[in-house]
Amino acid sequence: MTRKIRAIGAILLAVLWLGLCAFAWLRQPDAASVSERRPLAQFPAITADALSGGKFMTEFEDYTLDQFPGRDTFRRLKSLVHYNVLQQKDNNNIYIVDGYAAKLDYPVNTAALDHALSRLQFVYETYLKEQGSKVFMSVIPDKSYYLAEPNGYPAMDYNKLFAAVQEKLPFAQHIDITDCLSAKDYYFTDTHWRQEALLPVAEKICSAMGIAGPGVYTQTVVDQPFYGVYYGQAALPMDPDRIYLMENDPIRACK
């Protein structure tokens, strides 16, 4: 009886393996992953050079991983195990604090920062300096600015970032908006700000620039739930966000 059970198990395993192989080879591949927001690997070209050099098998492995049946289900299962069983504090560099999903962003990418600042300086020198333009600069903090360090995650040195901006862009008046924001002003599942929470930021920027404030707006809720970029990357069950649009007469008149 035991031998018969083992034989049945081996046959079922072989059928499953052959079925997955046939699926990987014959199915119409998906072009992109909606949950991860990225293109998926496609079936590699079969050429003599690719086969002899090993390139085909390398690309085929990427293809089978990306096109594996039920991939999103397995990704979610893996994430749940990482969080709830292994007690890991992040998954795919995404961590969750009080329902807010954020990405580990550490340390400061000095090469990218220097490049961005050099481009801004080029724009000023080329197009604005001779016109006597008055320039303002405001660094928008990532959600992790408010979540990472207080909750024990590696935190970017924002003081270093702010100092570099002010040092290398001396022609710009820096407007610090960090005291006008908190984690609750960002979407739970995304990187972006909530429109309905940003009037204090707009008021501070307008005041620093010496112009009229943002005025009066009405909120309009979008019917569809919003699943942000971190929802798919974290592969964890999270409640969707609601989007509220801020509207006034000039915006409603736009076409």
Side-chain angles (χ1 to χ4, degrees):
M1 186 68 179
T2 302
R3 185 176 298 176
K4 186 176 180 180
I5 293 176
R6 289 177 179 174
I8 293 174
I11 292 171
L12 291 176
L13 183 62
V15 169
L16 176 62
W17 182 79
L18 290 171
L20 290 175
C21 288
F23 183 89
W25 280 88
L26 302 175
R27 74 182 290 267
Q28 182 67 30
D30 296 322
S33 168
V34 175
S35 62
E36 296 173 85
R37 300 190 182 185
R38 68 173 181 87
L40 296 176
Q42 301 299 297
F43 193 91
I46 302 176
T47 65
D49 289 341
L51 290 171
S52 62
K55 181 181 178 182
F56 174 82
M57 291 310 300
T58 300
E59 293 182 351
F60 182 72
E61 182 179 2
D62 293 336
Y63 166 78
T64 55
L65 290 174
D66 273 7
Q67 304 292 344
F68 195 84
R71 184 171 181 274
D72 283 343
T73 300
F74 284 106
R75 287 182 65 244
R76 174 162 293 189
L77 178 61
K78 169 182 172 288
S79 298
L80 290 171
V81 170
H82 278 202
Y83 262 100
N84 300 324
V85 179
L86 302 180
Q87 296 294 298
Q88 294 184 355
K89 297 194 71 176
D90 68 275
N91 183 54
N92 299 327
N93 289 327
I94 307 296
Y95 63 92
I96 299 176
V97 175
D98 297 331
Y100 290 93
K103 190 169 187 177
L104 294 176
D105 194 11
Y106 172 89
V108 175
N109 187 332
T110 54
L113 175 61
D114 290 342
H115 177 73
L117 295 178
S118 69
R119 294 297 84 202
L120 292 173
Q121 187 171 26
F122 171 81
V123 170
Y124 173 73
E125 297 286 346
T126 305
Y127 303 106
L128 304 176
K129 185 175 181 179
E130 295 301 323
Q131 284 71 34
S133 302
K134 194 172 183 180
V135 180
F136 298 87
M137 166 65 71
S138 189
V139 178
I140 303 171
D142 182 72
K143 194 192 308 182
S144 288
Y145 179 83
Y146 303 98
L147 293 174
E149 188 172 5
N151 293 283
Y153 290 94
M156 181 189 294
D157 187 349
Y158 269 91
N159 290 330
K160 178 181 179 180
L161 175 63
F162 296 149
V165 170
Q166 295 183 60
E167 176 187 351
K168 296 184 179 182
L169 303 179
F171 52 83
Q173 178 181 332
H174 181 71
I175 305 174
D176 183 7
I177 61 172
T178 57
D179 59 341
C180 299
L181 290 165
S182 66
K184 67 181 179 60
D185 297 317
Y186 297 77
Y187 289 108
F188 284 103
T189 63
D190 200 68
T191 60
H192 292 90
W193 300 354
R194 297 177 181 275
Q195 286 191 27
E196 71 275 16
L198 298 182
L199 288 180
V201 176
E203 289 168 356
K204 183 167 186 178
I205 292 175
C206 289
S207 176
M209 297 179 68
I211 60 177
V216 179
Y217 291 79
T218 57
Q219 291 185 17
T220 301
V221 63
V222 176
D223 292 336
Q224 294 83 4
F226 173 55
Y227 295 91
V229 63
Y230 291 149
Y231 180 88
Q233 291 178 0
L236 288 168
M238 300 175 64
D239 292 333
D241 284 286
R242 279 289 179 188
I243 292 181
Y244 293 87
L245 304 179
M246 302 299 289
E247 298 181 328
N248 60 7
D249 290 338
I251 289 177
R252 280 187 286 268
C254 291
K255 301 293 183 184

